[in-house]
Amino acid sequence: MVLDRKHLEKQQRKDLLLEAAAHVFGRKPFDEATMQEIAAEAQIGMQGLYEHFASKRELYEQVLTRRSEHFFARAEEALREARPPLEQLRAMFQVYADHFKDRVLWLPLFIHHRFYFDWGFQSRFLPRQREIYEVERDRLKDILRRAVEAGLLQDLDTEFLTQFCFGVLEASLHRSHRGGVEEDPQACVDRALACFLQGAGARP
């Protein structure tokens, strides 16, 4: 029982440090953030921080992996139900809008790492995040392929449609968070989907 309590307390301290690191990395790029800032954010000593994480890189990887896993789980749940392709596309957009509503500082980081993935650059970090991007991209391509086959989208290259889709979604997310007025996630989704369909929707 004592061991169980100690394990729980250790996990709680680790969670606290990960949350503190999320705030610091959300405010500053990796190279500028320091372990001292993270320890101060968590109100813990440096020794306590290094008891859980051997380096800033390890801490950064665990923070982003945890965030990515959370996003991945929400997307899996939202898209589990079999629905027409455009309804699935809306559901996917909704996951993005909901996920970043209270995590605006993480949106630029998310886009930065996916930019590396999209352009084939080798990131220094995050093999698990790369796996999640691959699954996410394949899932979107499948939705768009089915939409083309159903005559709902123009018969364009699926790679182009995928990149266009992400671009429109990211532009709408940027508008939501940089427009100066707090916006309901549904408005972000409606705008992104309308712009995407206006550009790639089936022509009469």
Side-chain angles (χ1 to χ4, degrees):
M1 190 70 178
V2 174
L3 288 176
D4 287 344
R5 186 173 66 251
K6 287 184 176 179
H7 176 76
L8 178 61
E9 290 173 353
K10 184 177 181 180
Q11 185 59 50
Q12 288 174 337
R13 284 195 298 272
K14 184 175 181 180
D15 290 341
L16 174 66
L17 289 168
L18 285 169
E19 193 60 33
H23 285 114
V24 173
F25 289 132
R27 294 194 300 263
K28 290 186 173 183
F30 172 81
D31 292 332
E32 294 180 15
T34 67
M35 292 291 268
Q36 288 83 357
E37 288 175 291
I38 294 167
E41 183 82 23
Q43 298 182 349
I44 193 171
M46 292 296 294
Q47 182 179 346
L49 176 57
Y50 280 110
E51 282 177 3
H52 292 275
F53 301 99
S55 67
K56 183 172 70 169
R57 172 172 175 163
E58 179 189 350
L59 183 51
Y60 183 80
E61 287 182 345
Q62 288 202 32
V63 167
L64 282 193
T65 298
R66 174 178 283 202
R67 297 278 179 172
S68 298
E69 292 282 5
H70 179 65
F71 173 85
F72 185 73
R74 292 185 66 173
E76 285 276 287
E77 182 180 356
L79 298 175
R80 187 175 294 127
E81 181 184 346
R83 286 178 287 191
L86 292 187
E87 288 185 24
Q88 283 203 307
L89 186 61
R90 174 178 285 279
M92 191 171 186
F93 281 11
Q94 191 70 53
V95 170
Y96 273 87
D98 290 342
H99 183 75
F100 290 110
K101 182 179 187 299
D102 300 316
R103 301 177 179 86
V104 60
L105 293 174
W106 281 93
L107 182 57
L109 273 178
F110 185 87
I111 293 172
H112 168 79
H113 282 286
R114 198 173 63 206
F115 173 85
Y116 268 67
F117 171 74
D118 286 344
W119 286 89
F121 297 139
Q122 187 64 38
S123 174
R124 291 179 295 170
F125 309 116
L126 313 174
R128 175 55 181 150
Q129 193 169 30
R130 183 178 182 85
E131 291 174 14
I132 289 173
Y133 285 160
E134 288 173 350
V135 172
E136 176 196 18
R137 193 174 184 85
D138 287 345
R139 180 190 286 133
L140 178 57
K141 285 173 67 175
D142 181 63
I143 292 172
L144 296 173
R145 177 187 55 77
R146 290 189 290 110
V148 169
E149 290 174 354
L152 302 170
L153 297 177
Q154 297 178 55
D155 188 9
L156 299 168
D157 177 71
T158 51
E159 284 291 342
F160 169 79
L161 285 173
T162 300
Q163 200 62 36
F164 178 43
C165 193
F166 277 135
V168 167
L169 176 58
E170 288 170 8
S172 190
L173 287 165
H174 184 277
R175 173 65 180 79
S176 286
H177 296 298
R178 300 290 290 177
V181 178
E182 186 174 349
E183 185 176 60
D184 187 279
Q186 190 62 53
C188 174
V189 172
D190 290 343
R191 178 174 54 242
L193 192 59
C195 290
F196 177 71
L197 292 177
Q198 184 174 1
R203 296 292 184 256

